[in-house]
Amino acid sequence: MAHLIKLPSVAADTSGGTLHQWLKKEGDRVAVGDALAEIETEKAIVEINAEQAGVLGRIMVQAGAASVPINTVIGVLLADGEDASAIDRALAEHGAADAAPAQVATAAPAVTAAPASAAPASAAPASPSPSAAAPIPGGRLFASPLARRLAAQWHVDLLGVTGTGPHGRIVRRDVEAARDRTPATAAAPLAGRPAARRVPHTGMRRAIARRLTESKQNVPHFYLTVDCRMDALLALRSQANHGGAVKLSVNDFIVRAAALALREVPEVNASWHEDDIEYHAGADISVAVATDGGLVTPIVRDADVKSLSAIAGEIVELAGRAKINRLKPEEFNGGSLTVSNLGMYGISQFAAIINPPQAAILAVGAAERRPVVDENGQLAAATVMTVTLSADHRVVDGAVGARWLAAFRTLIENPVRILL
């Protein structure tokens, strides 16, 4: 019988997601595990895979539709031999109230699922080529709700926009392209000043704003700062990188040192819950990665038992996929502690906001040459890095945070221990 394709919770945010694009079109044959569509969540673009084989009979929610609730029916998959009447029966059994809203659904041509032995051409109707937008019967433009909203915001005339979505539907990328081709005319510039441009929030930016506001308002932060001598670590890194296949960064040493410090002071490796404190079994370090859309924190799992070369390779791979929104939810949700390193931007010192449900985040500044007083009381020059631990006082007491930071500094200043 016909199978309803629903927006899964694993591919969406707490309430829903944005349908980024369909990877199959109506009439396409689908095998179990095939990628059907992509959902844009707060931090990544996630694929929805087929749970059953068949033919994609109807697309209920078009690409570009925003805020699609979890469990919304976004498409219907037909079994072999079924026709379009099976779609209506499946939707009726599911309940009309649970079907996709009218404003994000479009009427689809009737599709009959051909037997598996039939030629593919008999299963898929020809897709119309993109065409300039025109009112469809009833006087309504063939455009997604998101495209309409963006067009109104950017003063883009949809009548002059060519739709590239399914059946010539205007979607977000079409409006963005038209906006980039046409200079803004919303307001007259003052004395030659270019007009201001307003860019709507992305799902990621909304998530960052919500989570960090909640963290700063609800989590009692306190801050501990120490200076770490870096000369021995930099010398060891130079030796390790000489002729090596994998080039280690200072951040790789920092990530492993943070994990080893969690092993020494496990009280910091914890999360606050309303009824208890959860102490984590593994030392999973989140690494803050700056992307065009905002900050993403992919996780290096069990960093305390991985080699530096393994950590280095994993960070490069995760950061690369984070920058193109291709992380899986399990790769950025959770974690023990976050490392946020702005040293490469020349920042000497800063304090970061905790990433709940974690209890701490380490802000790392630049390694700089500074005057210091050596063990003999003499003035000398050394390379020094300032780090600040932001901790959740509901979980971590001041003395506990100080012990963790002392353990971290000892590892940084005696870097051979990081290799063990």
Side-chain angles (χ1 to χ4, degrees):
M1 61 178 295
H3 172 69
L4 301 180
I5 304 167
K6 301 179 182 179
L7 185 74
S9 58
V10 69
D13 304 325
T14 54
S15 58
T18 298
L19 188 54
H20 183 66
Q21 67 172 330
W22 279 95
L23 304 177
K24 299 286 186 180
K25 61 180 181 295
E26 290 175 353
D28 280 357
R29 179 162 291 281
V30 176
V32 175
D34 281 357
L36 295 172
E38 291 180 338
I39 298 295
E40 183 179 344
T41 69
E42 292 179 345
K43 297 286 187 176
I45 296 175
V46 182
E47 291 182 348
I48 297 179
N49 297 319
E51 299 177 355
Q52 297 184 17
V55 170
L56 183 56
R58 183 178 298 174
I59 290 175
M60 301 296 297
V61 178
Q62 297 292 342
S67 301
V68 181
I70 291 172
N71 289 326
T72 295
V73 177
I74 62 173
V76 183
L77 202 63
L78 291 173
D80 289 337
E82 290 185 319
D83 58 21
S85 63
I87 299 175
D88 297 328
R89 288 195 301 272
L91 291 174
E93 292 175 4
H94 180 68
D98 295 327
Q103 64 268 27
V104 296
T106 59
V111 177
T112 299
S117 59
S122 65
S127 296
S129 58
S131 58
I136 63 174
R140 185 168 60 87
L141 278 169
F142 198 38
S144 72
L146 178 60
R148 293 170 179 275
R149 179 171 61 83
L150 294 180
Q153 193 164 27
W154 294 333
H155 302 276
V156 173
D157 185 0
L158 290 179
L159 289 176
V161 176
T162 298
T164 61
H167 311 293
R169 184 183 182 86
I170 298 174
V171 293
R172 175 176 56 186
R173 60 177 175 268
D174 303 323
V175 181
E176 290 175 342
R179 175 204 64 193
D180 294 339
R181 289 193 303 267
T182 306
T185 57
L190 298 176
R193 181 194 304 170
R197 178 181 169 191
R198 297 172 69 100
V199 178
H201 299 309
T202 62
M204 180 184 294
R205 180 53 57 188
R206 289 184 185 278
I208 291 171
R210 185 187 71 250
R211 287 175 57 82
L212 294 186
T213 300
E214 291 173 353
S215 176
K216 197 64 174 176
Q217 289 179 341
N218 300 327
V219 176
H221 289 57
F222 73 94
Y223 309 95
L224 300 171
T225 301
V226 296
D227 292 333
C228 303
R229 296 280 289 269
M230 297 291 290
D231 299 279
L233 188 149
L234 294 175
L236 181 62
R237 171 177 174 262
S238 178
Q239 294 178 33
N241 284 342
H242 184 69
V246 177
K247 299 301 181 182
L248 303 176
S249 69
V250 171
N251 205 51
D252 300 329
F253 283 85
I254 291 170
V255 167
R256 179 157 166 77
L260 293 173
L262 286 177
R263 185 194 295 176
E264 292 188 33
V265 188
E267 298 95 324
V268 178
N269 192 9
S271 296
W272 170 266
H273 300 282
E274 289 304 318
D275 297 322
D276 53 37
I277 294 176
E278 177 185 4
Y279 291 95
H280 306 296
D284 303 330
I285 304 300
S286 301
V287 181
V289 175
T291 72
D292 291 340
L295 193 68
V296 182
T297 53
I299 302 170
V300 179
R301 303 283 180 185
D302 299 315
D304 57 324
V305 296
K306 290 179 177 175
S307 66
L308 275 172
S309 59
I311 290 173
E314 193 168 334
I315 290 176
V316 169
E317 195 270 337
L318 287 170
R321 288 195 288 115
K323 290 179 179 180
I324 58 173
N325 295 329
R326 284 299 183 270
L327 288 176
K328 299 176 183 177
E330 61 269 21
E331 292 176 321
F332 57 82
N333 287 325
S336 301
L337 176 144
T338 296
V339 170
S340 180
N341 190 342
L342 294 180
M344 67 285 293
Y345 298 104
I347 301 301
S348 298
Q349 179 182 348
F350 70 104
I353 301 175
I354 296 169
N355 181 25
Q358 297 174 8
I361 183 171
L362 184 69
V364 181
E368 304 170 323
R369 295 293 288 177
R370 301 179 193 171
V372 298
V373 177
D374 63 21
E375 59 273 12
N376 298 318
Q378 301 297 313
L379 188 65
T383 304
V384 179
M385 176 182 72
T386 300
V387 298
T388 298
L389 181 72
S390 304
D392 181 349
H393 218 322
R394 299 172 302 178
V395 180
V396 179
D397 292 331
V400 172
R403 285 196 291 114
W404 184 90
L405 207 51
F408 174 83
R409 178 170 59 181
T410 298
L411 287 162
I412 294 294
E413 295 184 347
N414 299 275
V416 173
R417 292 180 54 186
I418 301 176
L419 300 178
L420 300 179

